[in-house]
Amino acid sequence: MRSRLLALVAVLTLLTTVSASALPGLGSVAGLAPVKCTPEDITVDGRVFPEPRLSATFLTFADFECGIGVLDEVHPGLVDITELDEPSRGGAPVYDIRVTDESVPVSEKRHLLILSSIHGNEHAGREGAARVIEDMVDQRNDQEFIQETLAQFVVHFVFPNPDGWINGDMTHADGGVNFTRANDGSRDLNRNFPVQGYLRASNGTLDQPEGRGLDALLAEFADLEHDSDDPDYRGWYLGTDNHGQGVKPVAASGLQIVGQFDYRKSERLARFADSISDNIEGIALESIEVLNQATGGAVQPYEWGTLYDILGYSAAGSGIDYYNSPATQDGLGVEGTGFATEMTASNLPFSNILTHPGEVNQMWVDTVRAINYAMFKTAVDPLTHTFPVGGRTAYVEDPTPTSSIDSNGFGDGNDDIPANFTGDDPEVDPDFSFTHYTVSRMKFFTDLNRFADNPLDAVRIPDVLSGDVDLSSYDSLVLADEVMPEGNDLAGWVTALTGFVEGGGNLVVTDGAAPLLADLFPGIDAGDVTATNRNVGYVDFLDTSEDHLNEGLRGVASQTWDVIPVGFPDNAGAAPNWTVSQDAWDALPGAVTAGTNGSGRTIYGQADLGEGTVTFLGALLPEPTEDYFHPYGLQNYAVTYTGYTLLENMLDHQR
């Protein structure tokens, strides 16, 4: 499949190096324009931005400026051409094209963000965005969800990397002959943002004008005072970030970002991803089938998962991560809800304006249409999401947070500012100081209770040991990341937990609480339980479809928590994943291993103890760490949509 798709790209590239005047139906008609630069100009299909399969080349930056100018002239009440505060490193304007029905006051609206081609060599985003803008304002487009979007939202189409675009136009005096990933400062703009959590100093935080401009735009419309479902909320709502990847046998790969996402936000993104799949099949399927017929291939419409599940890495400092950042106690953050997508074959070497594969580009554009239309539909008709809890449930509270204002301060990670950190440069922030935080994995449970049909109670160990709390009144009890978060009577605590389980309860043990398994089960030795550092928290699921533990898995399901938001470095093998010997686990009464992590290592499973069960997941909810550089603070948790699904399954228990 890869060779066939590459062959198609090569053939189309060869064809499109021929001048437009030699292509039938394109340049052969006298006066035919590649795009409209005046309303009177004539294009091959009458559109301002013609469909790609009828176009001889990619859109140049100058073409885009022409076409947007025409749309603004023809639809002045719908299109507003604005620029970010600073031009690009190469001196080009960084456009924020705002599309909305201006007859409805902007002050009454929320905001949607569409980032397009922040990597300049990933053409699909900007090619699609230009057509989507035209689709929205064209009076022939009377789809109700488009009209509702225009009435309720301001849609910001931001084109963050004009330098990388112009380089491939071959019109830039200082540029090369190909589109470039970076700007003219040789900086990857999608690593440039001040995210909460671990920060890779070499990324050059906000040292580029494009990043500073986008940061200012997000700050301008951020609403950190209201909940996103509050009728008075006027901040950033949903967003898309459209990229390109190498050749894959899917038209697009959706990337669910991971951070401190409460259940509503996580589920909203998951449902958004599912609706993208439906929309691609409805909008882009024809162009995908044309491509398949031309190649004899079998490109599928869509896949989705986390960034790590799809591409195999995490990335510190990306724009869409920053868009998703929660509010901090210092009043920073954006509070958007954004999703990224990678279009296949839209990140190839040696591409420029002449290497235009028309049918492939049509597939990209139709896919970008589907993605953004899915966002619009989700925005105007939001769903209510409820987390189901199978029985009366409690979690063991850890009363000691991780805080920058305790005796440990900002921790070892911020003791020395790396020499290549740019966030404290006067040009970036003349008043820079570390962002304060007080965080705890316990925030996960208080956030979850806002959406749980049966809210979880917090119980303290001293209250259990004193008899003030009767664990037998609960069906399930969650012990997250620490065996005994307070007190020192370990023997008494183990006795209480053993009694709870043997009496019919379900004890859910996660992360660093795993050593408790050796205290609960005679068949497990202390040496059977270990922590192995991985790049992220994940589960390799086994084929246990008949077992309830793996019910409801969606997308490409493996990652359960991400590293960057809670302070662990990306792609560094620093994420603790707790496992138990699979041989020892499977020998327990009623044991099932639902997932592994390494050969012969159970990371997810369930076993019987007396009348009850112990359910174990060794990678879900670690406490944030201060051991690595985190200048902009930390987030409380970073559970993925798969992590939420597993927790739902683990709590499906009644005595």
Side-chain angles (χ1 to χ4, degrees), residues 549-567:
L549 292 177
N550 286 350
E551 288 180 358
L553 293 177
R554 295 168 293 177
V556 179
S558 181
Q559 186 183 6
T560 50
W561 68 273
D562 197 28
V563 286
I564 295 166
V566 289

Side-chain angles (χ1 to χ4, degrees), residues 617-635:
L617 176 56
L620 180 70
L621 196 60
E623 182 70 8
T625 180
E626 298 176 300
D627 291 345
Y628 306 94
F629 191 49
H630 53 285
Y632 298 103
L634 295 168
Q635 299 181 42

